[in-house]
Amino acid sequence: MATIIVQPGVARAGRQRVSLTAIAHHRLMLLLILFMAVTMVLVGRLLWVGVFAHSGTGDDALSAFLPARADIVDRNGVPLARTMDAYSVAVRPSRLIGEPDELARKLHEIFPDEAEAVFYKKLTGRGWAYLRRRALPEQVAAVNALGEIGIEFPREKERLYPQRTLAAHVLGFAPNADGVGGMGVEAAFNDRLTDAALRGQPFAISIDSRVQGALESELYAQMVAQHAKGAGGIILDANTGEVIAMASIPVFDPNKLQNYAGKSCSESPLCNRMVQARYELGSTFKPISIGAAMDHGIVTSMSKRYDATAPISIGGFRIKDDHSLGRWINVPETLVHSSNIATARIADEMGAAPMQQIFRTLKFDQRAPIELKERAGTIWPSNWGRITTMTVSYGHGIAVTPLHLASAYAALVNGGMYRPATLRKLKPGEAPVGQRVFSAATSARMRQLLRLIVAAGTGRSADATGFRVGGKTGSAEKPEDGRYNKSSLVTTFAAAFPMDNPRYVVLTMMDGATSAIGLRTAAWTAAPVVKRVIERTGPMLGVMPDERRDVDISDLTPLLWKPKGEAE
């Protein structure tokens, strides 16, 4: 008889293990599916919020990853304004464990530009307060090392200006990274800078930061050396209207704004003197007036002479020259010696209507055409009688901004076409056609005359060797309390280079400067700055000095009177 031995227990255990493994696998799969479903729901919700929640403002899902405000760069891509996560330092006084006076002392050591008393007041205040905004990483680390639990380090979106004061008046400022610009490019191009479709693309302006730096440093050095109240300058592309540099001194730091409320333009560092201050710019108007007279058939020959033997008495006023020649003089001599008398006689012969026409075409009767919002209006004569026609011809009785004058000089030398100034970097072919102001023939003649002024006249101190500079000085007494202050001058030198093929206009202005030997006119104050600026910036702008080239002024130099016995 056979016996069969069965081990049912072992078989049941094997089947049980298989069953338990399958159940665990199924449960794991269910959990994984549930996790994926929840994740998809969350991702879908985020996408819905990003795409549809702000559809009324034109934002999209990607806008959350873009800066609140586009970067601003110069024409070569150098960053001038950026939005980034900045470090801040704040305090909750109720949570402090250290002594406020000791903390205030240590904070002052980390931030020496802030008074210890200011920190102490915040540390002992009642509520949360900033100790420092826009702190550097190393400063944050130093504060953190103090081990104070009542001090916090919030991260915030901030508008930073990495070049600090450079081109501050052009850039302006934006109080908040996602707010509205306060002045300058930040205000003028606010819509472009905050456009969700363009925020990821830097906005290139016409400024060249290298040229800007050179202009600012030369102006500041001259202002300090000659104890001036202020200074300013412009470098303008004569053929496109692009502003390559624009400086106004004193300057301000847009990273650390101060309250200048209630101060006039002459007192506030926020004032851009090139567009917000208007001046009687004196003899720099003479080439414009004489150019108009040429186009209107009044000046038909460079050898035509005008009576400058004595001052002109008219309506109780006397028009005189600072350095009277006491003789009849021709047109080149009128500009080389800067004669008010001869210029006034030319304007008188031309009449009021042509004079008004040329000034209106050059926009002297309105705010300077440029994108900036902070632009001053001009002082336009209310009565264009005979006296006014004569005085405005040499820059008195009418007040404009330096930018007005720079744009006018561009038209004077570029072939006669007026183009509005712009802070946009223009692409090739984007420059406006412009409006004709002077004939091409008159513009060519003015290039000769302006070069002659620098070669043989009041502009000698601006003659940068090899750059063929042409220009005109202007020295005007400042009006104060209804009369002119003879002890305070605004001096200007308006120039262009190279005069055989003008590419750039350079204008410098000094307010109340006095040279080392006590002279206050533009020849001694403003013109030397133009020379140094051109020598530094010419090569940056692609204009190399070349002493073998120049404007042909051989037909004009014989017209300049020389004393008997002096070599020709």
Side-chain angles (χ1 to χ4, degrees), residues 217-240:
S217 67
E218 293 297 344
L219 285 170
Y220 182 76
Q222 187 80 330
M223 188 182 83
V224 172
Q226 300 193 348
H227 309 288
K229 297 177 182 178
I234 299 170
I235 299 179
L236 193 71
D237 189 308
N239 299 300
T240 67

Side-chain angles (χ1 to χ4, degrees), residues 444-508:
R445 178 61 83 182
M446 292 312 305
R447 291 196 289 271
Q448 289 182 296
L449 289 166
L450 290 171
R451 178 68 183 131
L452 184 66
I453 294 169
V454 172
T458 57
R460 287 189 184 94
S461 55
D463 197 8
T465 303
F467 286 100
R468 294 91 73 196
V469 180
K472 182 70 184 75
T473 52
S475 305
E477 297 169 356
K478 294 174 64 176
E480 295 178 4
D481 301 323
R483 62 178 59 188
Y484 289 102
N485 184 350
K486 295 184 178 181
S487 63
S488 182
L489 296 181
V490 172
T491 54
T492 309
F493 192 80
F497 78 102
M499 290 307 290
D500 52 329
N501 181 24
R503 291 182 57 187
Y504 299 98
V505 169
V506 182
L507 180 149
T508 59

Side-chain angles (χ1 to χ4, degrees), residues 81-262:
R82 310 192 75 174
T83 299
M84 59 183 65
D85 287 331
Y87 288 94
S88 295
V89 182
V91 63
R92 293 186 186 275
S94 61
R95 297 181 59 187
L96 290 175
I97 58 175
E99 293 297 327
D101 54 347
E102 180 66 14
L103 282 174
R105 182 184 63 79
K106 292 179 178 179
L107 288 170
H108 173 65
E109 292 175 356
I110 299 171
F111 305 107
D113 58 336
E114 194 75 82
E116 186 176 327
V118 174
F119 287 124
Y120 181 81
K121 183 177 180 180
K122 293 178 179 179
L123 292 169
T124 56
R126 292 185 177 182
W128 188 92
Y130 281 109
L131 293 173
R132 186 73 166 197
R133 304 192 71 172
R134 298 173 177 168
L136 297 174
E138 55 267 31
Q139 293 172 327
V140 172
V143 176
N144 190 44
L146 299 177
E148 178 54 67
I149 63 173
I151 294 180
E152 302 174 353
F153 306 96
R155 297 291 299 272
E156 300 173 338
K157 295 290 184 184
E158 292 284 357
R159 192 66 164 171
L160 300 179
Y161 302 88
Q163 311 302 331
R164 301 185 65 184
T165 61
L166 184 76
H169 293 92
V170 173
L171 294 172
F173 54 86
N176 299 301
D178 56 352
V180 177
M183 63 174 278
V185 169
E186 294 279 27
F189 297 97
N190 188 74
D191 291 344
R192 159 63 179 84
L193 296 170
T194 57
D195 187 338
L198 299 172
R199 292 205 310 262
Q201 303 173 22
F203 177 51
I205 61 175
S206 59
I207 296 295
D208 185 320
S209 57
R210 305 167 304 166
V211 178
Q212 180 76 27
L215 177 62
E216 288 186 13
S217 67
E218 293 297 344
L219 285 170
Y220 182 76
Q222 187 80 330
M223 188 182 83
V224 172
Q226 300 193 348
H227 309 288
K229 297 177 182 178
I234 299 170
I235 299 179
L236 193 71
D237 189 308
N239 299 300
T240 67
E242 291 171 281
V243 177
I244 306 301
M246 178 186 289
S248 180
I249 301 177
V251 298
F252 69 96
D253 187 347
N255 294 299
K256 292 185 63 177
L257 291 175
Q258 299 182 37
N259 186 5
Y260 298 106

Side-chain angles (χ1 to χ4, degrees), residues 344-537:
R345 292 194 184 280
I346 292 171
D348 189 35
E349 186 178 345
M350 182 168 57
M355 187 69 74
Q356 287 192 64
Q357 177 187 341
I358 193 73
F359 285 175
R360 288 187 188 278
T361 307
L362 293 170
K363 318 304 179 188
F364 285 2
D365 62 335
Q366 58 186 265
R367 288 177 173 83
I370 193 171
E371 296 91 351
L372 296 176
K373 294 184 177 181
E374 57 278 3
R375 297 168 296 149
T378 61
I379 298 179
W380 183 260
S382 57
N383 175 27
W384 278 81
R386 187 182 177 200
I387 295 176
T388 299
T389 302
M390 296 171 79
T391 58
V392 298
S393 69
Y394 56 88
H396 287 265
I398 184 172
V400 299
T401 69
L403 181 59
H404 281 97
L405 186 65
S407 294
Y409 266 65
L412 196 63
V413 302
N414 70 9
M417 303 301 294
Y418 178 88
R419 295 180 179 89
T422 181
L423 284 168
R424 292 179 179 273
K425 179 187 177 182
L426 301 180
K427 298 177 182 177
E430 268 193 329
V433 175
Q435 179 181 2
R436 180 157 297 283
V437 181
F438 302 99
S439 68
T442 292
S443 179
R445 178 61 83 182
M446 292 312 305
R447 291 196 289 271
Q448 289 182 296
L449 289 166
L450 290 171
R451 178 68 183 131
L452 184 66
I453 294 169
V454 172
T458 57
R460 287 189 184 94
S461 55
D463 197 8
T465 303
F467 286 100
R468 294 91 73 196
V469 180
K472 182 70 184 75
T473 52
S475 305
E477 297 169 356
K478 294 174 64 176
E480 295 178 4
D481 301 323
R483 62 178 59 188
Y484 289 102
N485 184 350
K486 295 184 178 181
S487 63
S488 182
L489 296 181
V490 172
T491 54
T492 309
F493 192 80
F497 78 102
M499 290 307 290
D500 52 329
N501 181 24
R503 291 182 57 187
Y504 299 98
V505 169
V506 182
L507 180 149
T508 59
M509 187 204 73
M510 306 297 295
D511 184 353
T514 303
S515 72
I517 57 176
L519 297 174
R520 299 180 294 118
T521 60
W524 297 91
T525 59
V529 184
V530 168
K531 177 182 179 179
R532 294 195 294 269
V533 167
I534 291 177
E535 288 174 338
R536 288 183 62 178
T537 65

